[in-house]
């Protein structure tokens, strides 16, 4: 080595300034082969291989490695899916429009409205009963001499066993007129209560049901007076003859007459209720026919509950009447082709 060369410090010697480790030292320290090329920023570009697992951009070039969000979507390029929305139940859905006046109300408001409408029904019933009292005595006499299976001069006279029995009997028989007036009022008030949730065609059905209800109630009372009560008292008379002297109490006798007559006025609404349910799409004739045995059992239970009679004759007559009305309505619907 010449003197000129010794005047200059070697680049790998300590000259008072920091000199970083050489590439060979890095390679030996890291335990890698020193022959491995090191990218110093000046080496030519190395083509990145593309494969099925290498993401590429729209031009086909390899895209940079991007982190994923756990669902295989590259971060920064994930387009969020639009939030799924559901139709408002108060709006049109599936081509079916809601009733025009349908709107939600708090439960307390519904209960208050229902109580007020029931009070209106009771008011109509009380008014009909008050009017009926004016002719109650004549009605008692007419019914008494026509329901018993005796000739005109052989009908046993009524017996009164406490002072208010006659007046209470007048009020009870007057209540039959109150029932006839209260039934259509009840149906109309039900219509007003449900009107916001009804479609226009359903409203027409309900309005047509109001006069129909009056006619059916009158038919039910007439049916009780002409057929059921004579059969029932014929059975009672036959049951008691030869065993005791017959003496009918006014109050107890009219309790039975009024209970059966009023109950049959309600029972004869069965065809109307069935027709309304089918026309409004609540049920079908086929479904009612398939479940007829359940309805028969329900009719029998209702009859024995409200037409109490220790002999069992009155509940049987009422249950048979309900079943015949039910089956007759289904038969008419089948005949007109309504399924």
């Amino acid at each position: 080595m010449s003197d000129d060369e010794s005047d200059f410090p070697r680049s790998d010697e300590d000259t008072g300034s920091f000199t970083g480790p050489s590439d060979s030292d890095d390679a030996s320290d890291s335990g890698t082969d020193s022959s491995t090329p090191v990218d110093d920023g000046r080496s030519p570009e190395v083509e990145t291989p593309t494969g099925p697992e290498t993401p590429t951009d729209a031009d086909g070039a390899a895209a940079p490695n991007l982190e994923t969000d756990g669902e295989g979507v590259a971060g920064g390029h994930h387009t969020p899916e639009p939030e799924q929305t559901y139709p408002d139940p108060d709006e049109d859905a599936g081509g079916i429009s809601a009733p025009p006046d349908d709107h939600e109300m708090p439960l307390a408001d519904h209960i208050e409205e229902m109580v007020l409408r029931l009070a209106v029904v009771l008011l109509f019933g009380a008014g009909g009963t008050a009017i009926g009292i004016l002719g109650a005595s004549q009605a008692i006499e007419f019914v008494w001499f026509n329901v018993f299976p005796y000739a005109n001069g052989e009908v046993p006279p009524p017996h009164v066993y406490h002072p208010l029995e006659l007046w209470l009997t007048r009020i009870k028989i007057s209540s039959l007129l109150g029932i006839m007036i209260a039934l259509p009022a009840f149906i109309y008030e039900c219509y007003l209560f449900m009107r916001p949730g009804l479609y226009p065609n359903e409203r027409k059905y309900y309005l047509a049901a109001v006069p129909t209800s009056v006619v059916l109630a009158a038919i039910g009372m007439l049916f009780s007076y002409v057929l059921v009560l004579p059969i029932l008292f014929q059975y009672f008379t036959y049951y008691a003859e030869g065993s005791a002297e017959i003496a009918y109490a006014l109050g107890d006798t009219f309790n039975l007459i009024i209970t059966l007559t009023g109950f049959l006025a309600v029972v004869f609404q069965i065809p109307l209720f069935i027709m309304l349910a089918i026309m409004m799409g609540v049920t079908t004739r086929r479904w009612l026919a398939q479940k007829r045995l359940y309805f028969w059992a329900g009719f029998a239970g209702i009859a024995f509950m409200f037409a109490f009679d220790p002999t069992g004759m009155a509940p049987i007559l009422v249950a048979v009447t309900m079943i015949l009305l039910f089956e007759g309505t289904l038969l008419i619907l089948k005949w007109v082709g309504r399924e």
Side-chain angles (χ1 to χ4, degrees):
M1 176 181 299
S2 62
D3 295 337
D4 295 335
E5 293 176 346
S6 61
D7 293 336
F8 297 95
R10 293 171 56 91
S11 61
D12 55 351
E13 291 180 356
D14 188 7
T15 59
S17 62
F18 176 77
T19 302
S22 65
D23 294 341
S24 61
D25 294 338
D26 292 342
S28 61
D29 292 342
S30 60
T32 58
D33 190 1
S34 61
S35 63
T36 303
V38 178
D39 187 6
D40 58 356
R42 294 173 295 175
S43 59
E45 274 188 39
V46 178
E47 183 179 356
T48 305
T50 61
E53 297 181 356
T54 304
T56 59
D57 57 14
D59 299 333
N65 293 331
L66 300 174
E67 295 183 356
T68 62
D69 60 357
E71 298 181 356
V73 180
H77 295 277
H78 173 61
T79 303
E81 297 181 358
E83 183 179 356
Q84 187 175 5
T85 59
Y86 298 91
D88 189 345
D90 292 334
E91 297 179 354
D92 294 354
I96 302 176
S97 59
D101 298 330
D102 189 18
H103 60 279
E104 294 185 2
M105 291 177 58
L107 179 60
D109 292 346
H110 278 294
I111 295 175
E112 181 181 0
E113 181 184 1
M114 182 177 62
V115 171
L116 291 176
R117 297 199 180 280
L118 288 177
V120 172
V121 174
L122 293 176
L123 184 62
F124 272 92
T129 303
I131 296 173
I133 290 179
L134 300 177
S137 298
Q138 292 80 2
I140 290 174
E141 183 178 355
F142 179 80
V143 172
W144 187 272
F145 288 100
N146 287 277
V147 298
F148 292 104
Y150 294 102
N152 290 333
E154 300 178 359
V155 178
H159 290 72
V160 177
Y161 293 99
H162 60 83
L164 296 178
E165 187 171 357
L166 179 59
W167 266 104
L168 292 176
T169 304
R170 287 173 178 170
I171 295 174
K172 291 174 184 176
I173 198 168
S174 301
S175 66
L176 294 178
L177 181 61
I179 291 175
M180 285 194 64
I181 296 177
L183 267 177
F186 174 75
I187 295 178
Y188 184 69
E189 291 297 326
C190 288
Y191 162 75
L192 294 179
F193 181 75
M194 296 185 293
R195 185 180 185 277
L198 296 177
Y199 293 96
N201 61 326
E202 296 172 341
R203 295 176 185 178
K204 291 189 298 183
Y205 298 148
Y206 246 101
L207 287 177
V210 176
T212 306
S213 173
V214 179
V215 175
L216 290 175
I219 295 174
M221 291 183 176
L222 185 63
F223 177 80
S224 172
Y225 176 77
V226 172
L227 188 62
V228 176
L229 289 174
I231 292 176
L232 193 60
F233 282 106
Q234 178 70 40
Y235 171 74
F236 291 157
T237 302
Y238 175 79
Y239 184 81
E241 275 184 341
S243 301
E245 182 179 356
I246 299 176
Y248 291 103
L250 179 67
D252 293 339
T253 302
F254 269 91
N255 284 343
L256 178 61
I257 292 173
I258 294 167
T259 301
L260 278 178
T261 305
F263 189 57
L264 284 172
V266 178
V267 164
F268 266 71
Q269 309 297 312
I270 289 176
L272 178 62
F273 293 150
I274 293 176
M275 295 294 292
L276 282 176
I278 292 177
M279 289 180 178
M280 294 172 63
V282 177
T283 184
T284 61
R285 189 206 66 83
R286 190 183 301 276
W287 184 85
L288 293 173
Q290 291 174 351
K291 306 295 183 181
R292 55 168 38 97
L293 293 180
Y294 295 101
F295 283 96
W296 290 9
F299 293 152
I302 293 174
F304 277 88
M305 184 182 301
F306 292 99
F308 179 74
D309 173 19
T311 65
M313 179 58 67
I316 291 174
L317 290 175
V318 173
V320 170
T321 302
M322 297 174 76
I323 292 173
L324 290 177
L325 288 171
F326 178 81
E327 293 295 332
T329 306
L330 295 185
L331 185 62
I332 294 174
L333 289 171
K334 183 177 181 180
W335 181 65
V336 299
R338 189 64 182 261
E339 292 295 331

